[in-house]
Amino acid sequence: MIRKTLQRSAVVGALALAGASMGIGEVAGKTRGNPIVTDMFTADPAPLVHDDTLYIYTGHDIQNETDRFFKMQDWYCFSTENMVDYKNHGPLLTVEDFEWASGDAFASHVTERDGKFYWYVSIRHGSIRVNEGFSIGVAVSDSPTGPFKDAIGGALITDETPNSIVLNIDPAVFIDDDGQAYLYWGSWSDARWVKLKDNMLELDGEVQNLDAKNIFEAPWVHKYKDTYYLSYAGSGYPSKIEYSTSDSPMGPWEYKGVINGLMPRSETNHQAIIEFKGNWYFVYHSSALPTGGVYRRSVCVDKLEYNEDGTIKPIIRTTTSVPRVD
Ligand code: FUB
């Protein structure tokens, strides 16, 4: 079934890339189709709702079809008011915006506080390398679409941060109802969290271990009703998306299960969960474009639904994406 869907998608996708107006799985005017972007490769989505608009910040895969490893130099932003019509705001941030960094624009996350937009990025440090040499930097802007500029002039997290991990990537920030902000990050089956000060640019206390069953990378925290949900890429690499819940953003986290299985042709499985206009969405990446692959991924959006008891239903991946909302 999945293979048949992919074959059909490949044909429609080839048309889209060749300049036809329909995207993969698009139903004219009613759904966008998945992936939501078909004229470039996008990865590691991080959605943000602001002023009745959904912004999806993404990484940008530029690797060729044969070389192995991620080739990523900038981050993009796409926005929509209705889940069908998307605007590409272009690359809003590049590795060159961080003078102290040397490259590798890995997963990122934008969050808003007091009218400012903070973009937390995974990026390779130019001079600090104790382990893998990755770090977390922050850019800031007065608008969700920039201009963004390096907010610190150095990294927030590096290999030298006490209790950091071997591969310091995949930041995600959660701001609780009481205003306390938390930074989560992790990869290679090791993850951390730390409180942030109100300025969003300094750590507030010691870096703590993020203990969640099966966690591999890509932590993301959201709240539904009174429960905190920690979703993540889990079960090693290639990864599935799994989740745990807690009554606190600091844990302890109780394992709940898998919500998205392995992705065909993509070893990474990087998700985000957000509510927009009364609907919950699962934003992730696949490799569903015709020339897609492990290092040539594409952002998709599908519905996320809860059971009565608050558990999350397994995600049903579609080629249509989600219905239009107005
Ligand atoms: O895109 C580069 C890396 O691949 C991300 O940082 C991980 O989450 C995985 O998706």
Side-chain angles (χ1 to χ4, degrees):
M1 177 62 187
I2 289 173
R3 186 190 281 161
K4 271 191 187 155
T5 307
L6 270 178
Q7 281 168 348
R8 188 170 64 87
S9 298
V11 174
V12 183
L15 291 173
L17 286 175
S21 58
M22 298 281 281
I24 295 176
E26 181 183 339
V27 179
K30 293 191 177 152
T31 58
R32 171 71 173 188
N34 271 329
I36 60 167
V37 179
T38 55
D39 58 357
M40 58 182 279
F41 294 105
T42 53
D44 304 326
L48 167 79
V49 174
H50 175 70
D51 279 353
D52 280 338
T53 301
L54 177 70
Y55 295 87
I56 301 180
Y57 299 87
T58 76
H60 176 205
D61 283 332
I62 55 170
Q63 186 55 279
N64 60 41
E65 285 187 68
T66 50
D67 286 344
R68 292 189 58 78
F69 196 62
F70 300 104
K71 188 168 182 189
M72 309 176 83
Q73 292 169 351
D74 49 20
W75 296 270
Y76 272 66
C77 174
F78 302 84
S79 69
T80 182
E81 292 174 20
N82 58 20
M83 305 309 289
V84 172
D85 305 306
Y86 280 80
K87 184 171 176 195
N88 179 350
H89 298 276
L92 296 185
L93 196 60
T94 82
V95 290
E96 277 149 23
D97 291 317
F98 299 94
E99 279 183 16
W100 47 270
S102 65
D104 292 319
F106 277 24
S108 71
H109 181 204
V110 178
T111 195
E112 178 185 5
R113 179 172 208 134
D114 300 332
K116 288 200 182 298
F117 297 82
Y118 297 89
W119 200 334
Y120 296 82
V121 302
S122 320
I123 194 165
R124 198 181 289 276
H125 203 284
S127 56
I128 299 177
R129 180 164 189 167
V130 180
N131 295 309
E132 285 301 311
F134 266 86
S135 57
I136 296 172
V138 194
V140 67
S141 174
D142 293 329
S143 149
T145 53
F148 282 90
K149 65 173 197 315
D150 184 357
I152 301 177
L156 181 63
I157 301 288
T158 71
D159 283 355
E160 291 178 343
T161 303
N163 197 31
S164 62
I165 52 179
V166 171
L167 186 56
N168 289 296
I169 63 170
D170 292 5
V173 171
F174 173 77
I175 303 177
D176 206 356
D177 301 334
D178 64 2
Q180 178 63 57
Y182 300 84
L183 170 68
Y184 305 83
W185 76 100
S187 189
W188 286 356
S189 302
D190 214 357
R192 297 289 185 263
W193 67 272
V194 66
K195 285 183 181 173
L196 292 177
K197 291 188 179 169
D198 288 352
N199 66 15
M200 302 297 278
L201 305 177
E202 290 176 87
L203 309 187
D204 191 2
E206 292 176 2
V207 171
Q208 309 287 331
N209 293 357
L210 178 55
D211 294 320
K213 182 181 167 186
N214 288 355
I215 191 165
F216 179 73
E217 64 181 1
W220 176 273
V221 173
H222 77 277
K223 192 175 183 183
Y224 172 66
K225 297 189 173 166
D226 288 329
T227 300
Y228 299 85
Y229 291 72
L230 170 67
S231 53
Y232 43 86
S235 290
Y237 191 81
S239 312
K240 302 170 182 172
I241 298 301
E242 310 184 27
Y243 79 108
S244 299
T245 61
S246 177
D247 58 9
S248 161
M250 297 178 278
W253 299 98
E254 184 183 345
Y255 183 73
K256 293 293 176 179
V258 174
I259 50 173
N260 191 33
L262 297 176
M263 299 299 297
R265 299 196 294 164
S266 173
E267 291 170 350
T268 61
N269 199 340
H270 189 120
Q271 85 306 336
I273 294 171
I274 198 153
E275 184 181 21
F276 178 58
K277 295 191 174 176
N279 300 296
W280 283 89
Y281 296 113
F282 185 76
V283 191
Y284 61 106
H285 64 222
S286 73
S287 292
L289 284 185
T291 59
V294 174
Y295 307 105
R296 294 156 69 85
R297 301 159 294 175
S298 296
V299 169
C300 299
V301 180
D302 274 308
K303 266 195 220 164
L304 180 133
E305 292 178 312
Y306 299 92
N307 293 305
E308 284 283 308
D309 64 359
T311 53
I312 298 176
K313 295 184 181 177
I315 301 300
I316 298 173
R317 297 197 298 263
T318 69
T319 56
T320 54
S321 192
V322 296
R324 184 182 194 96
V325 293
D326 284 303

PDB file of all heavy atoms in Angstrom, residues 60-62 71-75 93-96 103-106:
ATOM      1  N   HIS A  60      17.125  23.037   5.156  1.00  0.00           N
ATOM      2  CA  HIS A  60      17.145  23.036   3.691  1.00  0.00           C
ATOM      3  C   HIS A  60      18.236  22.076   3.222  1.00  0.00           C
ATOM      4  O   HIS A  60      19.430  22.389   3.333  1.00  0.00           O
ATOM      5  CB  HIS A  60      17.422  24.483   3.222  1.00  0.00           C
ATOM      6  CG  HIS A  60      17.561  24.631   1.755  1.00  0.00           C
ATOM      7  ND1 HIS A  60      18.285  25.659   1.180  1.00  0.00           N
ATOM      8  CD2 HIS A  60      17.083  23.899   0.730  1.00  0.00           C
ATOM      9  CE1 HIS A  60      18.240  25.543  -0.133  1.00  0.00           C
ATOM     10  NE2 HIS A  60      17.514  24.487  -0.421  1.00  0.00           N
ATOM     11  N   ASP A  61      17.822  20.916   2.728  1.00  0.00           N
ATOM     12  CA  ASP A  61      18.790  19.934   2.230  1.00  0.00           C
ATOM     13  C   ASP A  61      19.248  20.306   0.830  1.00  0.00           C
ATOM     14  O   ASP A  61      18.417  20.507  -0.069  1.00  0.00           O
ATOM     15  CB  ASP A  61      18.135  18.546   2.163  1.00  0.00           C
ATOM     16  CG  ASP A  61      18.011  17.887   3.525  1.00  0.00           C
ATOM     17  OD1 ASP A  61      18.838  18.182   4.407  1.00  0.00           O
ATOM     18  OD2 ASP A  61      17.085  17.074   3.698  1.00  0.00           O
ATOM     19  N   ILE A  62      20.572  20.356   0.642  1.00  0.00           N
ATOM     20  CA  ILE A  62      21.110  20.652  -0.700  1.00  0.00           C
ATOM     21  C   ILE A  62      22.085  19.564  -1.151  1.00  0.00           C
ATOM     22  O   ILE A  62      22.848  19.770  -2.089  1.00  0.00           O
ATOM     23  CB  ILE A  62      21.764  22.044  -0.758  1.00  0.00           C
ATOM     24  CG1 ILE A  62      22.846  22.182   0.316  1.00  0.00           C
ATOM     25  CG2 ILE A  62      20.725  23.147  -0.640  1.00  0.00           C
ATOM     26  CD1 ILE A  62      23.700  23.434   0.163  1.00  0.00           C
ATOM     27  N   LYS A  71      23.903  18.023   3.932  1.00  0.00           N
ATOM     28  CA  LYS A  71      24.519  19.252   3.438  1.00  0.00           C
ATOM     29  C   LYS A  71      23.461  20.333   3.603  1.00  0.00           C
ATOM     30  O   LYS A  71      22.429  20.325   2.909  1.00  0.00           O
ATOM     31  CB  LYS A  71      24.923  19.085   1.986  1.00  0.00           C
ATOM     32  CG  LYS A  71      25.741  20.246   1.460  1.00  0.00           C
ATOM     33  CD  LYS A  71      26.351  19.904   0.118  1.00  0.00           C
ATOM     34  CE  LYS A  71      27.204  21.059  -0.375  1.00  0.00           C
ATOM     35  NZ  LYS A  71      27.629  20.848  -1.750  1.00  0.00           N
ATOM     36  N   MET A  72      23.670  21.222   4.554  1.00  0.00           N
ATOM     37  CA  MET A  72      22.641  22.208   4.911  1.00  0.00           C
ATOM     38  C   MET A  72      23.344  23.514   5.294  1.00  0.00           C
ATOM     39  O   MET A  72      24.266  23.500   6.112  1.00  0.00           O
ATOM     40  CB  MET A  72      21.809  21.694   6.103  1.00  0.00           C
ATOM     41  CG  MET A  72      21.272  20.280   5.902  1.00  0.00           C
ATOM     42  SD  MET A  72      20.385  19.599   7.318  1.00  0.00           S
ATOM     43  CE  MET A  72      18.769  20.308   7.068  1.00  0.00           C
ATOM     44  N   GLN A  73      22.885  24.612   4.687  1.00  0.00           N
ATOM     45  CA  GLN A  73      23.580  25.879   4.937  1.00  0.00           C
ATOM     46  C   GLN A  73      22.673  27.003   5.411  1.00  0.00           C
ATOM     47  O   GLN A  73      23.135  28.063   5.803  1.00  0.00           O
ATOM     48  CB  GLN A  73      24.298  26.334   3.659  1.00  0.00           C
ATOM     49  CG  GLN A  73      25.440  25.414   3.317  1.00  0.00           C
ATOM     50  CD  GLN A  73      26.019  25.647   1.942  1.00  0.00           C
ATOM     51  OE1 GLN A  73      25.468  26.407   1.139  1.00  0.00           O
ATOM     52  NE2 GLN A  73      27.117  24.997   1.658  1.00  0.00           N
ATOM     53  N   ASP A  74      21.365  26.798   5.301  1.00  0.00           N
ATOM     54  CA  ASP A  74      20.467  27.886   5.700  1.00  0.00           C
ATOM     55  C   ASP A  74      19.129  27.330   6.174  1.00  0.00           C
ATOM     56  O   ASP A  74      18.858  26.139   6.055  1.00  0.00           O
ATOM     57  CB  ASP A  74      20.270  28.893   4.547  1.00  0.00           C
ATOM     58  CG  ASP A  74      19.929  28.226   3.228  1.00  0.00           C
ATOM     59  OD1 ASP A  74      19.481  27.061   3.242  1.00  0.00           O
ATOM     60  OD2 ASP A  74      20.107  28.865   2.173  1.00  0.00           O
ATOM     61  N   TRP A  75      18.321  28.220   6.724  1.00  0.00           N
ATOM     62  CA  TRP A  75      17.014  27.845   7.243  1.00  0.00           C
ATOM     63  C   TRP A  75      15.955  28.707   6.554  1.00  0.00           C
ATOM     64  O   TRP A  75      16.156  29.911   6.335  1.00  0.00           O
ATOM     65  CB  TRP A  75      16.934  28.081   8.740  1.00  0.00           C
ATOM     66  CG  TRP A  75      17.859  27.249   9.568  1.00  0.00           C
ATOM     67  CD1 TRP A  75      17.601  26.019  10.115  1.00  0.00           C
ATOM     68  CD2 TRP A  75      19.180  27.577  10.008  1.00  0.00           C
ATOM     69  NE1 TRP A  75      18.665  25.571  10.845  1.00  0.00           N
ATOM     70  CE2 TRP A  75      19.649  26.508  10.797  1.00  0.00           C
ATOM     71  CE3 TRP A  75      20.030  28.680   9.797  1.00  0.00           C
ATOM     72  CZ2 TRP A  75      20.922  26.503  11.381  1.00  0.00           C
ATOM     73  CZ3 TRP A  75      21.285  28.672  10.379  1.00  0.00           C
ATOM     74  CH2 TRP A  75      21.719  27.593  11.157  1.00  0.00           C
ATOM     75  N   LEU A  93      17.746  32.806   7.506  1.00  0.00           N
ATOM     76  CA  LEU A  93      18.918  32.705   8.381  1.00  0.00           C
ATOM     77  C   LEU A  93      19.899  31.749   7.715  1.00  0.00           C
ATOM     78  O   LEU A  93      19.482  30.732   7.140  1.00  0.00           O
ATOM     79  CB  LEU A  93      18.463  32.138   9.731  1.00  0.00           C
ATOM     80  CG  LEU A  93      19.372  32.269  10.944  1.00  0.00           C
ATOM     81  CD1 LEU A  93      19.658  33.741  11.274  1.00  0.00           C
ATOM     82  CD2 LEU A  93      18.738  31.583  12.157  1.00  0.00           C
ATOM     83  N   THR A  94      21.196  32.084   7.766  1.00  0.00           N
ATOM     84  CA  THR A  94      22.204  31.191   7.182  1.00  0.00           C
ATOM     85  C   THR A  94      23.330  30.990   8.198  1.00  0.00           C
ATOM     86  O   THR A  94      23.448  31.757   9.165  1.00  0.00           O
ATOM     87  CB  THR A  94      22.813  31.763   5.875  1.00  0.00           C
ATOM     88  OG1 THR A  94      23.841  32.685   6.231  1.00  0.00           O
ATOM     89  CG2 THR A  94      21.778  32.438   5.018  1.00  0.00           C
ATOM     90  N   VAL A  95      24.176  29.994   7.934  1.00  0.00           N
ATOM     91  CA  VAL A  95      25.289  29.766   8.867  1.00  0.00           C
ATOM     92  C   VAL A  95      26.193  30.999   8.934  1.00  0.00           C
ATOM     93  O   VAL A  95      26.824  31.264   9.950  1.00  0.00           O
ATOM     94  CB  VAL A  95      26.106  28.504   8.478  1.00  0.00           C
ATOM     95  CG1 VAL A  95      25.308  27.247   8.718  1.00  0.00           C
ATOM     96  CG2 VAL A  95      26.584  28.563   7.055  1.00  0.00           C
ATOM     97  N   GLU A  96      26.212  31.780   7.862  1.00  0.00           N
ATOM     98  CA  GLU A  96      27.075  32.970   7.865  1.00  0.00           C
ATOM     99  C   GLU A  96      26.583  34.054   8.825  1.00  0.00           C
ATOM    100  O   GLU A  96      27.331  34.964   9.183  1.00  0.00           O
ATOM    101  CB  GLU A  96      27.178  33.540   6.449  1.00  0.00           C
ATOM    102  CG  GLU A  96      28.221  32.789   5.664  1.00  0.00           C
ATOM    103  CD  GLU A  96      27.918  32.735   4.187  1.00  0.00           C
ATOM    104  OE1 GLU A  96      27.174  33.614   3.720  1.00  0.00           O
ATOM    105  OE2 GLU A  96      28.411  31.814   3.530  1.00  0.00           O
ATOM    106  N   GLY A 103      29.478  25.971  10.021  1.00  0.00           N
ATOM    107  CA  GLY A 103      28.588  25.380   9.014  1.00  0.00           C
ATOM    108  C   GLY A 103      27.592  24.425   9.625  1.00  0.00           C
ATOM    109  O   GLY A 103      27.447  24.359  10.840  1.00  0.00           O
ATOM    110  N   ASP A 104      26.872  23.692   8.744  1.00  0.00           N
ATOM    111  CA  ASP A 104      25.908  22.662   9.150  1.00  0.00           C
ATOM    112  C   ASP A 104      24.677  23.240   9.852  1.00  0.00           C
ATOM    113  O   ASP A 104      24.592  23.262  11.078  1.00  0.00           O
ATOM    114  CB  ASP A 104      26.577  21.597  10.025  1.00  0.00           C
ATOM    115  CG  ASP A 104      27.565  20.765   9.234  1.00  0.00           C
ATOM    116  OD1 ASP A 104      27.247  20.422   8.085  1.00  0.00           O
ATOM    117  OD2 ASP A 104      28.652  20.478   9.752  1.00  0.00           O
ATOM    118  N   ALA A 105      23.734  23.650   9.029  1.00  0.00           N
ATOM    119  CA  ALA A 105      22.486  24.238   9.539  1.00  0.00           C
ATOM    120  C   ALA A 105      21.480  23.122   9.838  1.00  0.00           C
ATOM    121  O   ALA A 105      20.565  22.876   9.076  1.00  0.00           O
ATOM    122  CB  ALA A 105      21.914  25.210   8.510  1.00  0.00           C
ATOM    123  N   PHE A 106      21.686  22.464  10.983  1.00  0.00           N
ATOM    124  CA  PHE A 106      20.824  21.348  11.374  1.00  0.00           C
ATOM    125  C   PHE A 106      19.526  21.895  11.996  1.00  0.00           C
ATOM    126  O   PHE A 106      19.228  23.078  11.912  1.00  0.00           O
ATOM    127  CB  PHE A 106      21.574  20.433  12.340  1.00  0.00           C
ATOM    128  CG  PHE A 106      22.484  19.432  11.654  1.00  0.00           C
ATOM    129  CD1 PHE A 106      22.988  19.645  10.381  1.00  0.00           C
ATOM    130  CD2 PHE A 106      22.838  18.246  12.292  1.00  0.00           C
ATOM    131  CE1 PHE A 106      23.821  18.714   9.752  1.00  0.00           C
ATOM    132  CE2 PHE A 106      23.663  17.311  11.677  1.00  0.00           C
ATOM    133  CZ  PHE A 106      24.161  17.543  10.417  1.00  0.00           C
TER     134      PHE A 106
END
